[in-house]
Amino acid sequence: MTQKTSDETHFGFSSIGLGEKQAKVDEVFHSVATRYDLMNDLMSGGLHRVWKDIFARKVSPSRNGAFRALDVAGGTGDIAFRIARGGGAATRVTVLDINADMLRVGRERAGERRLDGKLDFVQANAESLPFEADAFDAYTIAFGIRNVPRVERALAEAFRVLKRGGRFLCLEFSRVDVPLMDRIYKAYSFGAIPTIGRLVTGDEASYRYLIESIERFPAPERFRGMIADAGFSRASFERLTGGVVAIHSGWKL
């Protein structure tokens, strides 16, 4: 494994120039967009739906007053739909993604669910959000932060656009902390998931990258520190399913 410099970042197990990563990530999601949700079901045995339900409930949108949520890297709408349904008539969710194909899928799905009136879809970069400061009550990002070239910039932007009292929530793959289960999980991840990707989408390489990106993402304790360093109070995390995923939280107080 090559050593990365200050002008480099990780793309899976490879080191590349910082300026290259976003285009490579965009290419991955362009490739998998139309089968993204099917692959999530196959890879997780449907557990991703349970994880997303638990995650979205933590947003707790107001049932009575106005509530603005920003869902970053949320192109296909899974988290946004749950937040929109959980809030009242004045709940509004902005779905932001850098990938136009993922957003197209999200818009189509929102229309099918008759939720398009509560959602906005914006193509933009998590490192440079096109919103004013103190604009949102909640910021969510599910399975997306590990694909951002400069995670610290994304966290700083999350802090900037949240209102005082607003909450940052991140759902991300983590480190399995159950003996024996960790070995089984790693063997399944590296052995089965790229093969499933090839059979279902015709793209093994993209799913190999996604698994490698999980391995390179900081351990939950370290990521909690990064959230705190960005200015968030009460930074914490909660492991689910033996540590396969974790929900990270912080408040702008």
Side-chain angles (χ1 to χ4, degrees), residues 70 72 126 129 137-141 154 157-158 161-162 167-169:
L70 173 64
V72 175
L129 299 174
D137 300 286
Y139 173 116
T140 57
I141 182 166
E157 279 291 88
V161 301
L162 277 170
R167 191 177 189 184
F168 167 85
L169 284 162

Side-chain angles (χ1 to χ4, degrees), residues 46-216:
L47 273 174
H48 77 103
R49 299 176 185 271
V50 178
W51 298 331
K52 290 171 181 174
D53 285 343
I54 295 170
F55 178 67
R57 280 199 296 270
K58 291 182 179 294
V59 177
S60 299
S62 173
R63 299 289 302 178
N64 301 310
F67 189 93
R68 289 190 70 193
L70 173 64
D71 184 39
V72 175
T76 60
D78 268 5
I79 302 302
F81 300 157
R82 287 168 167 82
I83 297 171
R85 290 192 184 109
T91 294
R92 191 88 185 177
V93 186
T94 299
V95 181
L96 182 140
D97 204 294
I98 200 166
N99 189 282
D101 294 292
M102 298 287 278
L103 289 168
R104 174 181 51 78
V105 172
R107 287 190 190 95
E108 291 171 358
R109 296 179 73 213
E112 292 165 0
R113 290 160 176 75
R114 299 183 179 179
L115 287 171
D116 42 337
K118 298 186 74 171
L119 304 177
D120 299 306
F121 290 85
V122 176
Q123 185 175 3
N125 192 318
E127 295 180 8
S128 182
L129 299 174
F131 309 112
E132 60 188 15
D134 309 310
F136 294 95
D137 300 286
Y139 173 116
T140 57
I141 182 166
F143 304 122
I145 194 93
R146 72 182 190 279
N147 296 313
V148 176
R150 302 170 182 86
V151 173
E152 293 86 353
R153 288 194 185 183
L155 291 172
E157 279 291 88
F159 189 85
R160 181 183 68 81
V161 301
L162 277 170
K163 299 175 182 177
R164 290 287 168 185
R167 191 177 189 184
F168 167 85
L169 284 162
C170 172
L171 174 63
E172 190 52 87
F173 287 105
S174 192
R175 301 284 198 279
V176 174
D177 63 347
V178 177
L180 184 60
M181 182 180 169
D182 57 345
R183 297 183 188 177
I184 296 170
Y185 174 67
K186 185 169 288 190
Y188 168 73
S189 297
F190 282 94
I193 288 177
T195 301
I196 294 171
R198 173 171 53 81
L199 294 174
V200 175
T201 71
D203 184 354
E204 179 174 339
S206 289
Y207 284 94
R208 187 166 299 282
Y209 156 71
L210 291 174
I211 296 306
E212 291 176 357
S213 70
I214 294 168
E215 285 289 302
R216 297 308 299 258

